[in-house]
Amino acid sequence: MKFAKAPCLLGVSWLFLAAPAKANGAFPEVSQLVADPSDRTHLILRSNFGLLTTNDTGQNWDLICEAGIGYQNIEPPVALLDDGTTIAALASGIAQADARSCNFTLASGANAYIADVSRIPGSNGHAVAVSSDLTAYVAQVWQSSDSGATWTALGTPLTNLNAATLDVAADDANIVYVSGSSQDDAPNGVLARSADGGQTWTTYTVPGTNKVSAPYIGAVSPSDHQTVYVRLSGTPGQLYVTHDGGAHFELALSFNGPFDGFALSPDERFTLASGRSDGVWRADTSTLAFEHLSCAKIRSLSWSESGLFASADEFEAGFLVGQSSNQGLTFDPLLHLSCLRGPLDCAASTSVGSVCPEAWPAISEQLGTDCASAGSFVPSTQCRDAGAPDSDASSSTDAGDGEPPSTITSLQRNALRPHGGCSCRIDSTARTPASWLWLIPLGLCGARHLRRKKPVVTQDRTRRVA
């Protein structure tokens, strides 16, 4: 009787061996979307298999593979400068591209582990970066005035800090913010502020932070450098805001799950927040009373003069990149995995043109090539673990059991569904054809047991057997 199970196990094993290997051991995902401040048609999307770029506001996307930029199996922070130059933070320095993003070279000066890069708003070709010494816990801010080609240290280092993000105020370039974690006996999150271009620093503790919940700068108000939005990593994810440069913080939003995306509208009227478990939330900046818009599992947000864009898991939201014309209520698909055109057209003498065409066949096999059928997947309209803001820091609007709040009309509620407003839970084994075929023999083997016992998912997502 024991040997009767062997054919099923052999069938499962064979299909595992036949499944194609992932390019970097992970299913394709995206995590940062950046708009070009000088060209509304130009966007850069960071993924775990390279950078995706468009020059027609998302109608067509091309790949800049990892090797063409100079890294492997990481997801580096990227920035688009005011002159359109792309820079990326690497473990050994900063990668800087030419005007067409075809040739990336390692910049000179900042030869260190770079935690983040950022443009200096309104300054053509000017940028800043922050490095972090992970042994000595010393952070150093760097600056560049030649589109990221060369870098020099800016001001005094920040001690006892593992840096994470930095930003420069749009209304005063002397105001620089750096977030990170202190390395005290009881680690906590820190927001450091310089009012003299990085020469001296004042540090403030961010509430709600600890060794597993670090602060990340979501946005600095373009019109008021004292107002900074800070989101916390970990679970639950939270959003804090300060109106006095970090001296005091107030909790604006608290999720049940992780906090993935945040954006501030160009006119500063709205803030938009997203989490893979809690959906999309929007608030007027004058009140910061958040309302639940949908259950879309958005991973990152970008809101600029180019428009409001989101990136997401294709199999959770129904698209890789989407665009919203109604302040985040719904997102229309712009890019699907299988519709990526291929490597960016670059000369063979460039870093991208010399390696990315060779890497493309393996990548396209994972993404799929049937663009004509892309978008046929429609996510479920049920929320999973829909989050709610803290009762003291948000509106009382509730979206229980996956339904949009009562403040959204029935017409708006119906509009959510065709665009994948609320997503279903998709098991990772169903993501590629070869990876779910093993379920067939497994299902045949366990059919008798499944008829006897029915698995049930409880409200807290733990499984029991009825």
Side-chain angles (χ1 to χ4, degrees):
M1 295 298 294
K2 293 181 180 179
F3 293 101
K5 297 179 181 179
C8 293
L9 295 176
L10 287 173
V12 172
S13 300
W14 179 86
L15 285 167
F16 269 126
L17 293 172
K22 304 294 188 293
N24 60 1
F27 189 81
E29 292 182 348
V30 291
S31 53
Q32 185 186 11
L33 186 59
V34 183
D36 190 327
S38 61
D39 182 358
R40 294 190 179 189
T41 67
H42 184 205
L43 301 168
I44 289 284
L45 176 65
R46 182 184 68 192
S47 74
N48 61 354
F49 55 94
L51 301 182
L52 314 184
T53 180
T54 177
N55 288 288
D56 53 16
T57 323
Q59 299 306 305
N60 296 284
W61 294 79
D62 300 301
L63 172 69
I64 305 172
C65 66
E66 294 181 343
I69 303 169
Y71 69 88
Q72 183 178 12
N73 294 343
I74 62 172
E75 295 181 45
V78 297
L80 280 168
L81 307 188
D82 281 33
D83 63 356
T85 300
T86 303
I87 57 175
L90 305 183
S92 57
I94 299 169
Q96 183 255 5
D98 64 347
R100 293 195 63 247
S101 297
C102 276
N103 198 53
F104 284 80
T105 56
L106 191 65
S108 63
N111 301 318
Y113 172 84
I114 305 299
D116 197 17
V117 289
S118 182
R119 71 184 182 96
I120 298 180
S123 298
N124 203 36
H126 286 65
V128 290
V130 61
S131 63
S132 193
D133 187 325
L134 303 181
T135 302
Y137 301 115
V138 174
Q140 175 67 60
V141 175
W142 304 80
Q143 64 177 345
S144 172
S145 58
D146 56 4
S147 299
T150 59
W151 296 80
T152 57
L154 178 64
T156 57
L158 283 155
T159 58
N160 191 33
L161 182 68
N162 184 7
T165 58
L166 90 160
D167 270 293
V168 178
D171 60 344
D172 187 347
N174 287 316
I175 306 296
V176 184
Y177 288 98
V178 172
S179 76
S181 300
S182 70
Q183 300 302 310
D184 299 323
D185 293 336
N188 55 63
V190 169
L191 181 68
R193 179 180 185 270
S194 175
D196 53 14
Q199 298 303 312
T200 59
W201 296 90
T202 303
T203 59
Y204 305 97
T205 299
V206 180
T209 55
N210 51 51
K211 63 181 180 180
V212 295
S213 184
Y216 289 78
I217 300 172
V220 178
S221 168
S223 62
D224 176 17
H225 57 255
Q226 296 274 65
T227 297
V228 184
Y229 300 87
V230 178
R231 64 181 180 89
L232 305 190
S233 63
T235 301
Q238 295 179 316
L239 175 68
Y240 282 87
V241 62
T242 175
H243 296 292
D244 52 14
H248 301 89
F249 287 89
E250 61 181 274
L251 178 63
L253 181 64
S254 184
F255 279 168
N256 289 328
F259 200 129
D260 293 316
F262 177 83
L264 181 66
S265 63
D267 60 6
E268 298 188 67
R269 181 183 174 186
F270 296 109
T271 60
L272 203 66
S274 65
R276 70 198 75 172
S277 296
D278 296 76
V280 180
W281 296 74
R282 185 181 64 201
D284 190 301
T285 54
S286 63
T287 62
L288 287 181
F290 280 86
E291 61 174 334
H292 193 195
L293 298 183
S294 76
C295 304
K297 293 172 171 54
I298 303 302
R299 291 301 182 93
S300 70
L301 293 161
S302 175
W303 206 343
S304 67
E305 297 296 341
S306 301
L308 173 55
F309 300 91
S311 67
D313 186 319
E314 174 94 29
F315 297 93
E316 289 185 333
F319 59 80
L320 202 65
V321 180
Q323 183 175 14
S324 177
S325 59
N326 49 21
Q327 292 84 43
L329 181 64
T330 59
F331 286 88
D332 297 311
L334 279 182
L335 174 64
H336 298 284
L337 276 172
S338 59
C339 293
L340 186 62
R341 291 196 304 187
L344 185 64
D345 186 16
C346 297
S349 58
T350 64
S351 67
V352 174
S354 62
V355 295
C356 293
E358 182 180 354
W360 173 246
I363 295 173
S364 63
E365 182 180 355
Q366 305 303 315
L367 305 182
T369 57
D370 187 12
C371 183
S373 300
S376 58
F377 169 76
V378 179
S380 166
T381 56
Q382 288 188 342
C383 288
R384 181 182 70 179
D385 289 345
D390 184 271
S391 59
D392 295 329
S394 62
S395 68
S396 60
T397 301
D398 188 15
D401 295 331
E403 286 299 319
S406 58
T407 55
I408 295 180
T409 66
S410 60
L411 179 62
Q412 292 171 322
R413 183 179 295 113
N414 290 333
L416 288 173
R417 293 190 169 93
H419 301 287
C422 292
S423 325
C424 64
R425 181 178 183 178
I426 302 297
D427 189 88
S428 60
T429 56
R431 286 172 166 169
T432 57
S435 65
W436 59 255
L437 287 175
W438 68 274
L439 291 174
I440 298 175
L442 184 62
L444 293 174
C445 294
R448 182 184 305 174
H449 296 286
L450 291 176
R451 285 195 296 268
R452 294 178 180 175
K453 298 182 179 181
K454 182 180 179 181
V456 179
V457 180
T458 61
Q459 290 184 350
D460 62 353
R461 292 191 294 149
T462 57
R463 292 183 179 273
R464 62 181 174 85
V465 176

